Amino acid sequence: MGLKGNLLSAFLVSLISLIGFSFMAVLISGQHIVQFDQSVISFIQGFESSALTSIMKLFTFIGSFSVVLVIFLIALFVLYKVFKYRTELILLVVVIVGTPILNQVLKAIFHRTRPDFHRLIEVGGYSFPSGHAMNAFAVYGILTFLLWRHIPTRLGRTVLIIISSLFIIMIGTSRIYLGVHYPSDIIGGYFASGFWLAIVIWFFQRYKEKQSKRKHLSEK
C-alpha cells in the first residue's frame, strides 16, 4: 500500500473511531447502556477464581503507567539506536504522551463514576473512558505500526497482530473483571484511542508524502 493508501486508511479509521466514540458517549449520557454494562460485568465476573484474578491483575499492571513508560523508553532507544529513525521518534512521543492527556480531558468532561458492583481492587478517578484501554490501544497500536515494515513475512506480521490484539483485549477485559470499569468505558477508550492514533498517523503519513515529493523533485 502506498502513501496515499495509508492516508486514506488512517482517515477512515479516525472517522470510524470518532463515530464510535460519539455513539458510546450518547448512550452513556442518556443512561441507555446500563443493562448492557451490568450483563457483561456479571458474565465476566462469573468466571472469578483466585488464579484468574492473579492473571487479570497482571494484565492490569501491564497496562499501568509505569509499564507503559518502560515500554515507551525501550521503544525510543530501539528507534534511535537500532533503526536510526528520527521522525518516528516524534510520532511515538506524540501518541504516547498525548493519550493520557486526552484521557484526562475526556474524563473531566463526562464525570462518570466507577461501577460499584463487585470490586477486586480499589482505584480512584472517573470511569469513562478507560485510561488503561486507551493506553493499551495506543501503545500496542503504534508499536505494531512501527514494527510492521521490519517484518518481511506474512506469518511474522500475523503474529505481531495477534500479540498486540491479545494485550489490548486482555488489558481492557482485566479492568471489567476487577470491577473498576464498565464495558462501555473500555469500548469508549478503544474508540478514543483509535481516533487519536489514526489522526497522528495521518499527519505523519502526510509529512512523509510531502518529503517524498520534495525528494522526487530534487532528483529531477
Side-chain angles (χ1 to χ4, degrees):
M1 185 182 292
L3 284 172
K4 288 186 177 180
N6 290 331
L7 281 169
L8 179 60
S9 297
F11 173 76
L12 290 175
V13 171
S14 67
L15 180 61
I16 293 170
S17 297
L18 179 60
I19 293 171
F21 180 81
S22 300
F23 181 67
M24 294 303 300
V26 169
L27 291 178
I28 288 168
S29 298
Q31 297 293 311
H32 299 305
I33 203 167
V34 175
Q35 186 60 49
F36 166 79
D37 279 333
Q38 291 178 345
S39 297
V40 174
I41 290 173
S42 297
F43 175 76
I44 292 177
Q45 290 189 334
F47 295 96
E48 183 181 342
S49 68
S50 58
L52 186 56
T53 298
S54 298
I55 292 172
M56 291 301 182
K57 285 183 177 179
L58 173 62
F59 275 105
T60 272
F61 174 68
I62 291 173
S64 65
F65 174 78
S66 56
V67 175
V68 168
L69 180 60
V70 171
I71 294 173
F72 172 60
L73 293 175
I74 292 174
L76 279 179
F77 176 81
V78 171
L79 285 174
Y80 186 78
K81 290 291 187 179
V82 179
F83 297 131
K84 308 297 182 182
Y85 287 164
R86 298 297 182 270
T87 54
E88 282 79 0
L89 288 176
I90 299 174
L91 173 66
L92 182 67
V93 170
V94 172
V95 169
I96 302 301
V97 173
T99 299
I101 295 174
L102 176 61
N103 177 253
Q104 290 303 309
V105 170
L106 292 173
K107 282 187 174 183
I109 292 172
F110 290 97
H111 279 221
R112 191 186 198 190
T113 56
R114 294 183 183 272
D116 57 1
F117 306 127
H118 175 51
R119 290 191 189 181
L120 299 178
I121 61 173
E122 289 298 327
V123 295
Y126 294 116
S127 187
F128 180 83
S130 165
H132 273 67
M134 287 187 65
N135 287 333
F137 198 99
V139 170
Y140 296 104
I142 193 61
L143 289 180
T144 298
F145 175 78
L146 292 173
L147 292 174
W148 184 267
R149 73 182 74 176
H150 300 288
I151 300 177
T153 65
R154 179 176 295 180
L155 175 61
R157 290 180 171 182
T158 300
V159 171
L160 176 66
I161 291 293
I162 292 173
I163 292 175
S164 298
S165 299
L166 176 65
F167 274 93
I168 291 170
I169 292 170
M170 288 305 299
I171 289 171
T173 303
S174 73
R175 305 302 282 173
I176 301 171
Y177 176 90
L178 295 171
V180 294
H181 275 296
Y182 296 101
S184 52
D185 296 333
I186 305 301
I187 297 171
Y190 290 155
F191 277 130
S193 192
F195 171 75
W196 173 244
L197 180 62
I199 283 294
V200 176
I201 288 176
W202 185 90
F203 278 105
F204 173 76
Q205 297 283 25
R206 182 66 176 164
Y207 171 76
K208 296 289 284 185
E209 183 182 44
K210 289 182 178 179
Q211 270 195 328
S212 178
K213 287 181 178 178
R214 290 195 191 101
K215 183 178 180 181
H216 180 71
L217 289 173
S218 64
E219 290 175 350
K220 284 186 175 180

